[in-house]
Amino acid sequence: MRILVTGAAGFIGFHTARRLLEDGHEVVGIDGFTPYYDPALKLRRHEILQQNPAYCGHEAMLEDFAAFKAIYGEGFDAVYHFAAQAGVRYSLDNPRAYVEANLVGTFNLLELLRHAPPRHALLASTSSVYGANASIPFRETDRADHPLTLYAATKKANEEMAHSYSHLFNIPTTMLRFFTVYGPWGRPDMALFKFAAALFEGRPIDIYNHGNMRRDFTFVGDLVEAMVRLLGQAPLAPDARPAPAPALDSLSPVAPWRVVNIGARTPVALMDFVAAIEAATGLRASCNFMDMQQGDVPITFANTELLFLLTGFTPKTPLQEGVSAFVAWYRAYHGV
Ligand SMILES: NC(=O)c1ccc[n+]([C@@H]2O[C@H](COP(=O)([O-])OP(=O)(O)OC[C@H]3O[C@@H](n4cnc5c(N)ncnc54)[C@H](O)[C@@H]3O)[C@@H](O)[C@H]2O)c1
């Protein structure tokens, strides 16, 4: 297949593009190399992808519709959309970046999909859309109407924008709700990277909500496995479905659209996560215990029955194994 990956120089886009190339697909990448975190890391990922002749990477912002349209051309067999302004905490101080990348950027993508629909569009969403939901584990069929940050609000809006395009223009669409993804080539603004960097540099780490937080940490290799398995599971339009969808399926009643959680379904206490980093680095952390940050949630926990129903796969990498893989990469990348 010929597949478009937006945000291909990003953490998840890079791993996905690499796997799609390994699987024999032709991949076109687009990334704006935004300065949200060190673009040198994005450039390095991009260079690795470019070594494969089946990969063609472009530097462009999704907001630049003319440039995006030229790259989209006559369209693709499938599209993975990862380019976004990510990060929960950054959205408190830089809300405009989220409106531009996530709302305008995704709108531009949808306009291109409309005129040359792929067989399947898979768009990144986030566990943050569950917002103030108190019922765990989070299910795709739960209402998710109370976002706590603009990041979450733009991602929920993306789900709904994509639903309307899916309905109007018959675009098979899967919204992917990721739960705290970690692993080699990870994001410097996320906990694992920040904690490891602090440990190696002998600095203390900030522990929010005095450590009373749990996250459904998902290893990037598992995430990618789930996403490539979902590629062939494009949702069907209502009149093409052989049977009614089971109750746990989030399939739209009016569009070939569904939302799927991808998480490890194992919430880990923050201090156990720190212990896993200590074990992998052989270093002791010194902790600054702080209050809960605005916009944060105490727990994320994925229900992954729908993912299993569709793919026969459930994320399985043990936390210590995944953290050790990250630390090995971090040591090699930074020479520490
Ligand atoms: N990493 C996680 O734990 C996590 C969790 C939930 C959801 N997500 C979502 O997954 C997707 C990928 O996240 P990631 O962790 O790989 O983040 P990332 O920041 O590493 O990757 C995003 C990439 O998109 C590019 N980009 C950003 N805005 C752009 C724009 N307007 N035009 C063109 N390129 C642009 C960036 O340069 C970057 O390389 C995002 O949509 C994010 O919201 C990630």
Side-chain angles (χ1 to χ4, degrees), residues 130-142:
Y130 290 108
N133 282 21
S135 148
I136 51 169
F138 300 145
R139 293 173 186 276
E140 296 89 341
T141 48
D142 291 344

Side-chain angles (χ1 to χ4, degrees), residues 70-206:
I71 294 162
Y72 193 79
E74 300 301 308
F76 292 85
D77 297 308
V79 172
Y80 283 92
H81 175 46
F82 302 117
Q85 178 58 59
V88 170
R89 294 182 187 128
Y90 188 76
S91 69
L92 272 60
D93 298 323
N94 301 277
R96 194 168 299 278
Y98 293 77
V99 171
E100 287 166 359
N102 303 1
L103 297 184
V104 179
T106 301
F107 164 69
N108 282 346
L109 173 72
L110 294 172
E111 275 295 298
L112 295 171
L113 299 184
R114 163 186 182 171
H115 293 293
R119 280 186 264 159
H120 195 181
L122 302 102
L123 281 67
S125 185
T126 168
S127 60
S128 295
V129 302
Y130 290 108
N133 282 21
S135 148
I136 51 169
F138 300 145
R139 293 173 186 276
E140 296 89 341
T141 48
D142 291 344
R143 287 183 65 172
D145 294 337
H146 300 107
L148 298 178
T149 61
L150 188 71
Y151 168 60
T154 59
K155 285 293 188 177
K156 186 74 193 324
N158 284 170
E159 294 185 357
E160 292 170 5
M161 290 156 69
H163 182 273
S164 66
Y165 272 66
S166 170
H167 167 63
L168 291 168
F169 309 114
N170 199 28
I171 305 165
T173 303
T174 300
M175 300 302 311
L176 309 161
R177 288 185 183 162
F178 302 155
F179 286 67
T180 317
V181 187
Y182 74 98
W185 296 97
R187 265 175 37 207
D189 61 312
M190 293 186 68
L192 177 54
F193 201 118
K194 285 203 294 193
F195 290 177
L199 257 67
F200 282 118
E201 291 160 23
R203 288 184 283 109
I205 58 178
D206 291 340

